[in-house]
Amino acid sequence: MNKFQSFDDFVKVHGVLLAAAGIPQSLYKLLFQKLSSDTFDGGHYFQIEPIEDGRQRRLLITSDSIAKHSNLFLVDHAWTFRLSDAYKQLCEVPGLAERMASLMCVDVDLDSAAEEAGEEDSSKLSAVEIVEREMCKVKEGRDDTRWLELEELDIDDHMLVSLDLPSKFPNLLALSLCGNNLRDAEVVSKEVTRLNNLKALWLNNNPFLEHSNSEAAIIQGCPSLEICNSKFTSNYGEWALGFCGGIYDKDNADCAHQRDHPLESVTSLDLSNRFIRNLMNKAFNPEEITSLSYLNLRGNPLDQNSLNDLLQLLKGFSCLHSLEVDIPGPLGESAAEIVEALPNLSLLNGVNTSKIMESGKSLVDSMLQPCLPEWTAGEPLTDRVINAMWLYLMTYRLADEEKIDETSVWYVMDELGSSLRHSDKPNFRVSPFLYMPEGNLASAVSYSILWPIDDVREGDECTRDYLFGIGEEKQRSARLTAWFHTPKNYFIKEYEIYKNTLQSIKIASPVQGSSITSSLCRGDGRVLHVYADIPQVEKYLTRPEFVITTEPKDADIIWTSMQIDEETKKATGINDEQYINQFPFEACLVMKHHLAKTIQKAHGLVEWLQPTYNLETQLSQLIGDFHVREREKLDNLWILKPWNMARTIDTTINSNLSAIIRLMETGPKICQKYIEHPVLFKGRKFDLRYTVLVRSMNPLEIFLAEVFWVRLANNTYTLEKHSFDQYETHFTVMNYRGKLNHMNTPDFVKEFEKEHEVNWLDIHSRIRNMIKSAFEAAAAVHPEMHHSKSRAMYGVDVMLDSHFQPKLLEITYCPDCTRAVTYDTEAVVGGGETVKGKEFYNYIFGCLFLNETNHVSQL
């Protein structure tokens, strides 16, 4: 029910939301009318059209015209969810998976398609029948078979030999055996090398290629071969170039009837991804391909040619006006420099060369191909949707006057809204909008609002900017990788530069020196007044040397969970002579992106820190790392963590690059290589919480509490892809959600040693060294962190990989000490004494302020 009696009431309630959405004021009244009457009239103005063989859709204007800012349209949200609920909802909500699969163009049932194809091809010829048919043509003098396709016919090694193709078709130029069941590389090589005139051979998708390097043997045995498995051989020449230029195909495989210069009619030549290493070729020259105007060289290493030789060769093609190349790549790292070297070009990677010279851009590409959804035959619709949804999702976060929601809301626009494709120069804008008919957040209904930001006419495609308001200062080009195939070479090179820089860093020397801290204990017996806003300190700090005060200005020691800045000092009366439980610039340790940067700046690459990227500044390097791992078939599972949130809030695990990039939209994060194979305890994942006490940063005085805590996941660990949203499988902090299964540390160590046949003291020694190195990094990189009036306690979280090597997860300021004060436990290191929980803060304060070392050891 709409409570608004007037347009003015609507604007009063929604004013902030209207401004945030960017909706023109001239359209406010129309929006009010359409929301009040629930009017969805887009169908009268737009039409959805399938493209890319049904794998994508676009939105077209069907009305005569729509002027800029003259109308707006309500777009419904077809699916709204929290990320952790996505898979469950797809499985449980009737019809949801089917609708989303249709909307995202992944509803083609490949099994049914295969069955239909099977029905249509029930009369499909077998390999033997095809060979017999071609033999009849030869005998009748109708044709001398030069091109033979024997694809997906279940040909095995024995059948290939029995077909005896070399004897029956000695003049064969092109042979395709793709998608068969050939397993013996030696048998295949022996047969095909008997085809002395063979120019092209396709053996893709045969089992023997997965486990052997048989291509080299085949190429060596077929001196005339120019194309092998879609790649050019070093012997490529006129036939291979003619095939890519459209001269030679199944119906015209022979060049015998061609003129002296058969390539002179070629105007367009797509040589992309042919693995060409040497472009200096007798056939590829301006005298042979005299009319060449378009050339695509993307995806070729060309590593046997110098930059100058390549530019000189291309300059000779006087008609060449359009060129596509990798930038950076064999032709250099700068688009502007390529244009300068090839003055005849009018288009480079689809961009007008005059615009390139005006802007001086290094990296240009206006012809990015969209990332279309991919799936395998028989893959469930739910899995297809989970993989494809990142091409369609949008997000917002709810907030009211009291607080902001901890987790973001993701949504998919309806079929109309989801058909809007991207453009850097869009003609429409779309924004989420929360309509509150009862004037409060509880009544909110979410829509997207669509309106024209340019004049459009019938037949125009409607587009929006997927990265509206995001420029290159926020890594726009890199972020487009979420939707488009961006140049891999560029990102790989950025990653390699970054990696080489880290590898060149020498280990930072620790800050040396003797202790400068002294006990605060007063000779006259006066007590130290402590102000604390943490109830546990007030309850458990019972030593006679300390007394709790409720006034910060009266305290000798301030122990707080809040950040103390200059404003706080003024408001509370805190002065520079009081001791505070925090160090200046400690963010270099306790904020996740700063921690990684601090360690890398001091130590470079270290084994105990997983590869870590600040997504706000290092997205290109991450994308490069992802592509390298993908190329080398390494695991590619990553964990995304907000810069400064605890308790795994907004933390996700993913191996989908589009998802990783899109998740940046919910706030600043690091992306860290997930420890896919941690050492387990009785099949479950665990981590360790250590307590570190810092008296001084210069010289470094740090102490490790003898008692540490194990935190156990509740479920058996698995890498099954649907488990990554299961908190109790992949996360270990159960203090705030899930069921906390406390285990006393001595019991854990004893059972762990027995299960894995290791000595815990060896592991503990490595952990000590790692923690010390982390704080040494902070002391070396941020000497300004030292302050004579600072003493602090930090929580350090550690995980062990399958080789029992410690990995630093994070360092926490003013850690939760609930278990430390609750449980009595025996120290498994040091003296092995029983440490009572109620004495925790007594010995913590004794170490930091009285220079004692009870239940701690110096690092």
Side-chain angles (χ1 to χ4, degrees):
M1 179 179 176
N2 186 354
K3 67 162 271 184
F4 299 114
Q5 300 300 313
S6 70
F7 168 64
D8 290 339
D9 289 341
F10 167 77
V11 173
K12 184 177 180 180
V13 169
H14 295 90
V16 174
L17 294 171
L18 288 165
I23 300 169
Q25 289 191 18
S26 60
L27 294 175
Y28 284 5
K29 185 161 288 187
L30 180 59
L31 176 61
F32 170 62
Q33 293 168 356
K34 289 193 176 186
L35 286 170
S36 299
S37 58
D38 206 25
T39 300
F40 292 87
D41 56 348
H44 300 305
Y45 297 84
F46 307 102
Q47 176 183 327
I48 300 171
E49 179 182 82
I51 55 174
E52 301 285 355
D53 296 325
R55 296 175 68 193
Q56 196 179 49
R57 295 190 180 98
R58 65 177 180 174
L59 193 66
L60 302 179
I61 293 289
T62 54
S63 63
D64 291 339
S65 65
I66 308 177
K68 175 181 177 180
H69 293 176
S70 66
N71 205 341
L72 58 68
F73 307 91
L74 302 186
V75 177
D76 199 8
H77 290 173
W79 182 25
T80 303
F81 60 95
R82 309 280 182 175
L83 200 55
S84 59
D85 299 329
Y87 180 71
K88 183 179 180 182
Q89 289 187 12
L90 288 170
C91 291
E92 296 180 356
V93 177
L96 178 61
E98 288 75 14
R99 182 182 181 185
M100 289 300 103
S102 174
L103 183 151
M104 297 175 187
C105 304
V106 295
D107 59 339
V108 178
D109 192 325
L110 297 185
D111 288 339
S112 298
E115 289 173 11
E116 292 172 9
E119 292 172 5
E120 294 173 2
D121 297 341
S122 59
S123 59
K124 182 178 178 180
L125 298 178
S126 66
V128 173
E129 290 170 329
I130 293 174
V131 169
E132 289 178 352
R133 182 192 64 187
E134 295 299 319
M135 284 295 296
C136 288
K137 291 180 183 179
V138 174
K139 290 176 181 178
E140 294 170 4
R142 288 188 290 144
D143 188 16
D144 183 9
T145 300
R146 299 298 183 93
W147 190 297
L148 185 61
E149 295 180 359
L150 300 173
E151 300 176 351
E152 299 182 354
L153 296 171
D154 204 28
I155 299 172
D156 58 18
D157 303 317
H158 177 73
M159 183 183 292
L160 180 63
V161 174
S162 66
L163 290 174
D164 194 19
L165 300 179
S167 298
K168 295 172 182 175
F169 309 108
N171 296 319
L172 201 62
L173 294 176
L175 172 63
S176 178
L177 292 166
C178 292
N180 284 295
N181 193 28
L182 301 172
R183 296 182 175 277
D184 192 323
E186 188 174 341
V187 169
V188 176
S189 179
K190 184 176 179 181
E191 286 301 301
V192 299
T193 53
R194 291 169 57 203
L195 294 162
N196 297 325
N197 298 310
L198 201 62
K199 298 287 188 183
L201 174 66
W202 293 276
L203 295 164
N204 310 65
N205 300 321
N206 274 285
F208 80 95
L209 288 174
E210 298 176 6
H211 307 291
S212 67
N213 188 24
S214 54
E215 283 187 14
I218 292 172
I219 293 171
Q220 187 175 2
C222 296
S224 299
L225 197 65
E226 299 187 22
I227 299 176
C228 182
N229 295 339
S230 303
K231 301 175 184 177
F232 279 18
T233 73
S234 59
N235 299 324
Y236 82 91
E238 176 195 295
W239 197 94
L241 294 171
F243 170 76
C244 292
I247 293 178
Y248 306 130
D249 54 27
K250 183 177 181 179
D251 299 321
N252 183 27
D254 197 353
C255 56
H257 66 283
Q258 296 286 352
R259 299 182 297 274
D260 290 338
H261 300 283
L263 300 179
E264 63 184 359
S265 63
V266 173
T267 59
S268 178
L269 193 54
D270 185 352
L271 300 180
S272 59
N273 301 307
R274 293 290 179 179
F275 201 71
I276 302 171
R277 302 188 64 186
N278 183 6
L279 202 58
M280 304 297 174
N281 182 285
K282 182 179 179 181
F284 187 79
N285 71 72
E287 295 180 2
E288 296 293 330
I289 317 177
T290 55
S291 304
L292 185 65
S293 63
Y294 168 82
L295 176 64
N296 188 341
L297 291 172
R298 293 178 186 268
N300 293 294
L302 301 178
D303 52 354
Q304 295 181 0
N305 305 127
S306 69
L307 171 61
N308 290 334
D309 287 345
L310 287 171
L311 292 174
Q312 198 63 36
L313 173 63
L314 295 177
K315 191 182 295 186
F317 292 91
S318 58
C319 297
L320 183 62
H321 298 303
S322 179
L323 176 66
E324 290 192 43
V325 294
D326 295 327
I327 304 175
L331 293 187
E333 301 181 10
S334 168
E337 291 177 5
I338 294 173
V339 171
E340 284 183 353
L342 303 174
N344 289 339
L345 288 182
S346 56
L347 291 174
L348 177 61
N349 290 355
V351 179
N352 191 292
T353 53
S354 60
K355 291 184 178 180
I356 294 173
M357 295 308 295
E358 288 173 9
S359 64
K361 285 187 176 180
S362 295
L363 178 66
V364 297
D365 206 325
S366 72
M367 303 186 72
L368 297 177
Q369 296 301 308
C371 296
L372 300 176
E374 296 180 356
W375 64 91
T376 57
E379 186 175 3
L381 287 184
T382 51
D383 290 352
R384 299 183 194 184
V385 171
I386 290 293
N387 288 331
M389 68 183 187
W390 297 102
L391 303 175
Y392 295 90
L393 290 182
M394 299 177 75
T395 187
Y396 60 81
R397 183 169 289 189
L398 295 172
D400 57 23
E401 294 177 354
E402 295 181 359
K403 68 173 184 176
I404 186 169
D405 205 342
E406 289 182 343
T407 57
S408 296
V409 174
W410 293 89
Y411 64 94
V412 178
M413 292 188 289
D414 65 15
E415 285 74 5
L416 186 147
S418 292
S419 297
L420 287 159
R421 297 201 301 170
H422 170 77
S423 173
D424 287 334
K425 296 180 179 179
N427 48 23
F428 277 81
R429 183 174 168 189
V430 62
S431 289
F433 184 79
L434 289 180
Y435 176 49
M436 297 182 288
E438 296 178 14
N440 54 48
L441 195 58
S443 67
V445 181
S446 65
Y447 298 93
S448 287
I449 311 301
L450 175 69
W451 71 94
I453 56 175
D454 203 351
D455 297 340
V456 289
R457 298 179 180 178
E458 182 180 3
D460 286 351
E461 180 178 357
C462 307
T463 59
R464 69 180 179 92
D465 186 349
Y466 288 174
L467 293 170
F468 179 80
I470 297 176
E472 283 306 322
E473 74 283 357
K474 294 184 179 179
Q475 309 177 101
R476 179 182 177 86
S477 292
R479 291 174 76 159
L480 284 172
T481 304
W483 297 277
F484 296 94
H485 293 288
T486 51
K488 288 185 179 181
N489 285 355
Y490 169 78
F491 295 110
I492 290 174
K493 185 162 186 178
E494 288 293 298
Y495 162 67
E496 290 173 343
I497 292 171
Y498 168 74
K499 182 180 178 181
N500 291 337
T501 300
L502 291 183
Q503 288 176 332
S504 66
I505 294 175
K506 296 181 180 179
I507 301 297
S509 300
V511 179
Q512 302 292 340
S514 57
S515 173
I516 61 169
T517 58
S518 57
S519 171
L520 273 62
C521 187
R522 291 163 173 165
D524 57 8
R526 284 186 300 158
V527 297
L528 295 166
H529 290 80
V530 177
Y531 170 80
D533 60 7
I534 301 169
Q536 292 170 346
V537 177
E538 295 178 334
K539 181 177 180 179
Y540 292 105
L541 182 60
T542 58
R543 294 184 59 150
E545 296 93 337
F546 303 96
V547 64
I548 300 296
T549 180
T550 57
E551 288 294 331
K553 60 183 177 61
D554 297 332
D556 300 296
I557 300 168
I558 305 293
W559 194 275
T560 176
S561 59
M562 296 177 58
Q563 183 70 36
I564 301 295
D565 54 22
E566 292 304 318
E567 290 186 10
T568 306
K569 287 182 177 180
K570 289 179 182 178
T572 59
I574 294 174
N575 60 65
D576 293 337
E577 296 304 313
Q578 293 170 297
Y579 287 84
I580 301 177
N581 68 326
Q582 54 196 241
F583 280 84
F585 302 97
E586 66 183 7
C588 71
L589 288 171
V590 300
M591 293 187 72
K592 298 178 186 71
H593 62 308
H594 289 322
L595 173 63
K597 185 177 181 180
T598 297
I599 291 169
Q600 291 164 349
K601 197 169 182 179
H603 300 311
L605 291 178
V606 289
E607 187 180 14
W608 45 267
L609 181 71
Q610 290 289 93
T612 304
Y613 299 92
N614 179 358
L615 290 181
E616 295 298 300
T617 59
Q618 297 177 311
L619 181 59
S620 292
Q621 291 79 5
L622 166 67
I623 294 172
D625 193 347
F626 190 97
H627 286 320
V628 168
R629 301 184 71 85
E630 188 176 54
R631 181 184 67 195
E632 297 177 0
K633 294 182 171 56
L634 299 173
D635 55 69
N636 232 337
L637 194 60
W638 299 78
I639 183 167
L640 287 87
K641 307 175 184 179
W643 279 359
N644 197 27
M645 278 185 149
R647 312 198 312 269
T648 65
I649 295 171
D650 200 19
T651 299
T652 53
I653 303 165
N654 218 301
S655 60
N656 183 321
L657 183 58
S658 292
I660 290 170
I661 297 170
R662 296 297 311 281
L663 284 162
M664 294 172 62
E665 296 169 32
T666 64
K669 294 178 179 63
I670 63 164
C671 184
Q672 190 171 68
K673 185 67 194 64
Y674 191 59
I675 304 171
E676 290 176 305
H677 300 290
V679 65
L680 304 177
F681 179 71
K682 296 183 178 180
R684 292 181 292 163
K685 187 176 179 180
F686 70 90
D687 67 14
L688 307 166
R689 162 60 64 88
Y690 283 83
T691 302
V692 175
L693 307 177
V694 182
R695 286 187 196 159
S696 168
M697 291 298 294
N698 184 19
L700 196 59
E701 276 189 79
I702 53 177
F703 299 82
L704 187 66
E706 292 178 353
V707 172
F708 61 91
W709 303 97
V710 60
R711 304 186 296 190
L712 292 162
N714 289 334
N715 298 338
T716 299
Y717 183 71
T718 176
L719 286 174
E720 198 278 324
K721 62 183 177 182
H722 298 307
S723 74
F724 298 128
D725 290 329
Q726 296 173 5
Y727 183 88
E728 295 186 46
T729 299
H730 288 273
F731 298 99
T732 61
V733 181
M734 301 299 161
N735 305 52
Y736 312 99
R737 56 194 287 195
K739 179 183 178 183
L740 175 60
N741 290 311
H742 171 70
M743 186 173 190
N744 226 359
T745 306
D747 297 333
F748 164 78
V749 169
K750 183 178 180 180
E751 293 184 34
F752 184 88
E753 289 183 322
K754 183 177 179 180
E755 179 181 353
H756 295 285
E757 299 180 345
V758 294
N759 185 328
W760 184 262
L761 291 180
D762 293 338
I763 297 171
H764 181 71
S765 177
R766 289 194 288 269
I767 293 172
R768 284 175 56 90
N769 291 336
M770 178 192 72
I771 293 174
K772 183 178 181 182
S773 294
F775 281 87
E776 285 176 346
V781 175
H782 292 282
E784 67 275 19
M785 187 175 169
H786 177 72
H787 194 283
S788 61
K789 297 295 183 178
S790 294
R791 306 280 193 276
M793 174 175 68
Y794 300 95
V796 178
D797 296 337
V798 180
M799 187 172 288
L800 304 176
D801 68 14
S802 57
H803 302 291
F804 306 100
Q805 295 299 323
K807 301 284 185 177
L808 179 63
L809 300 183
E810 64 178 301
I811 298 177
T812 306
Y813 161 74
C814 202
D816 183 348
C817 297
T818 301
R819 285 208 283 183
V821 300
T822 303
Y823 298 102
D824 299 342
T825 188
E826 181 183 320
V828 297
V829 295
E833 302 171 2
T834 296
V835 181
K836 294 186 177 297
K838 65 180 183 180
E839 295 296 326
F840 176 75
Y841 278 106
N842 285 336
Y843 74 77
I844 293 298
F845 272 66
C847 175
L848 291 176
F849 301 107
L850 305 180
N851 281 25
E852 297 175 352
T853 56
N854 296 327
H855 307 308
V856 301
S857 61
Q858 187 164 4
L859 295 178

